């Protein structure tokens, strides 16, 4: 079991490295009009002619994590949401290193990018609100948006996948927080902003961790190697559903990088977005299916 988890962590790092390389190669391409990214959207996303249905009246905005982009983060989740009848939209934000890597810019500026993107989605679709699904840093930034940038009335449901809502000790790196150099700010401002002691994390959680009227779901894995400890994702407040994957499916070994493409997680997201029409959650590995939240 331990060896398998280690292999998952190594696989996560490989995906991270491939993300940087593929983004660097794509810099020669031209960004899609109005989307500000050289990385194409994932399958099923950013059909700007899509109009929300009565069954699913809110578009779903997908927000990627640190060092990730909208394509590699949501290649599995996005088509499932689209097939379920949602209008799906995904952005790239926080680009740095010459625009080749996403999710590393200052988090407040990234939150503003999310705000601008949500406004475009609402204007284009005619919807009154969106639902947001965010991974890692992408689960934290929407909270800043709704608390500080006027997004509280524009968001109905916020689903965070392995978010570091209370900061992360960057467990995989293995360095004490005090040894993560300030020079990191030059290459990845968001890395140090996600430390538990950062001013942004402190301000974000001061005075209450949730906003009235928004439904929150947090999905975490005990095997998370980047958002550490994994319980950092849990939120305190009304209308919050904190879910640990292994409490739903004990055999689930998805870690930080695999959680967004994990079938169990995807069904939990679908159930969170439409709780009145929940479906059984697949556990895999011979565990069958269970009815859950």
């Amino acid at each position: 079991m331990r060896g398998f988890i280690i292999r998952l962590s190594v696989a996560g790092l490989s995906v991270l490295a491939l993300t940087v390389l593929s983004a660097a190669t794509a810099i020669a391409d031209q960004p899609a009009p109005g989307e500000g990214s050289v990385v194409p959207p994932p399958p099923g996303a950013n059909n700007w002619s899509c109009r929300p249905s009565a069954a699913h009246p809110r578009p779903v905005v997908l927000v990627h994590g640190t060092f990730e982009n909208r394509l590699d983060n949501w290649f599995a989740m996005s088509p499932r949401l689209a097939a379920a009848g949602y209008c799906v939209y995904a952005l790239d934000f926080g680009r740095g290193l010459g625009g080749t890597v996403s999710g590393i810019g200052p988090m407040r500026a990234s939150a503003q990018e999310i705000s601008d993107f949500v406004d475009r989605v609402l204007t284009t679709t005619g919807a009154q609100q969106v639902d947001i699904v965010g991974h890692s840093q992408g689960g934290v930034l929407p909270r800043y948006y709704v608390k500080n940038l006027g997004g509280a009335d524009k968001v109905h449901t916020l689903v965070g996948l392995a978010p570091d809502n209370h900061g992360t000790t960057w467990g995989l790196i293995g360095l004490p927080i005090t040894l993560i150099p300030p020079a990191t700010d030059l290459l990845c401002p968001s890395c140090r902003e996600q430390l538990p002691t950062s001013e942004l994390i402190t301000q974000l959680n001061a005075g209450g961790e949730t906003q009235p009227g928004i439904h929150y779901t947090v999905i975490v894995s005990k095997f998370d190697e980047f958002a550490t400890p994994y319980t950092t994702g849990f939120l305190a407040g009304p209308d919050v559903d904190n879910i640990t994957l292994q409490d739903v499916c004990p055999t689930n070994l998805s870690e930080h990088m695999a959680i967004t493409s994990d079938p169990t997680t995807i069904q939990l997201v679908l159930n969170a977005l439409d709780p009145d029409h929940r479906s059984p959650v697949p556990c895999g590995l011979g565990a069958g299916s269970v009815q859950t939240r």
Side-chain angles (χ1 to χ4, degrees):
M1 175 74 73
R2 180 176 177 85
F4 187 82
I5 295 168
I6 292 173
R7 288 196 295 275
L8 278 176
S9 298
V10 172
L13 286 176
S14 299
V15 170
L16 207 59
L18 287 173
T19 297
V20 174
L21 290 174
S22 63
T25 301
I27 194 65
D29 298 334
Q30 293 299 313
E35 295 177 25
S37 177
V38 297
V39 178
N46 293 21
N47 173 7
W48 294 99
S49 64
C50 185
R51 295 296 177 266
S53 65
H56 300 302
R58 295 179 300 276
V60 178
V61 174
L62 303 176
V63 186
H64 63 75
T66 310
F67 296 115
E68 298 177 282
N69 61 57
R70 59 186 179 180
L71 177 59
D72 66 35
N73 215 154
W74 304 114
F75 71 91
M77 181 82 68
S78 177
R80 281 291 306 277
L81 293 174
Y86 290 94
C87 293
V88 183
Y89 299 91
L91 77 158
D92 272 350
F93 64 84
R95 290 177 298 281
L97 296 177
T100 62
V101 182
S102 298
I104 64 175
M107 290 178 67
R108 289 179 175 84
S110 293
Q112 184 60 56
E113 291 185 64
I114 294 169
S115 176
D116 295 342
F117 190 80
V118 168
D119 284 348
R120 182 188 177 197
V121 169
L122 293 175
T123 298
T124 302
T125 62
Q128 297 300 306
Q129 291 182 305
V130 300
D131 293 335
I132 297 179
V133 180
H135 176 234
S136 192
Q137 182 192 166
V140 178
L141 288 171
R143 293 182 54 224
Y144 187 92
Y145 160 57
V146 300
K147 181 175 182 177
N148 298 294
L149 299 179
D153 293 334
K154 300 175 184 180
V155 178
H156 181 274
T157 298
L158 172 56
V159 182
L161 309 181
D164 48 345
N165 282 316
H166 298 92
T168 176
T169 60
W170 292 104
L172 189 67
I173 297 175
L175 290 175
I177 292 173
T178 54
L179 295 182
I180 296 178
T184 302
D185 292 343
L186 298 176
L187 298 178
C188 179
S190 69
C191 290
R192 280 176 55 85
E193 286 182 314
Q194 291 175 79
L195 294 176
T197 54
S198 79
E199 185 274 334
L200 185 142
I201 292 295
T202 300
Q203 186 276 333
L204 181 62
N205 293 313
E209 298 178 3
T210 63
Q211 298 298 307
I214 298 178
H215 306 276
Y216 295 83
T217 296
V218 176
I219 304 172
V220 303
S221 170
K222 291 181 179 179
F223 302 130
D224 199 313
E225 73 278 40
F226 287 107
T228 55
Y230 74 91
T231 52
T232 184
F234 291 155
L235 291 173
D239 209 354
V240 174
D241 194 7
N242 291 314
I243 303 173
T244 302
L245 276 178
Q246 289 72 33
D247 290 343
V248 178
C249 297
T251 58
N252 193 300
L253 298 177
S254 296
E255 40 67 80
H256 191 82
M257 302 300 291
I259 195 170
T260 59
S261 56
D262 168 56
T264 301
T265 301
I266 292 174
Q267 188 58 59
L268 287 170
V269 169
L270 287 166
N271 289 352
L273 296 175
D274 190 4
D276 292 333
H277 301 91
R278 294 183 179 94
S279 293
V281 177
C283 283
L285 297 180
S289 299
V290 295
Q291 185 72 40
T292 187
R293 299 168 170 87

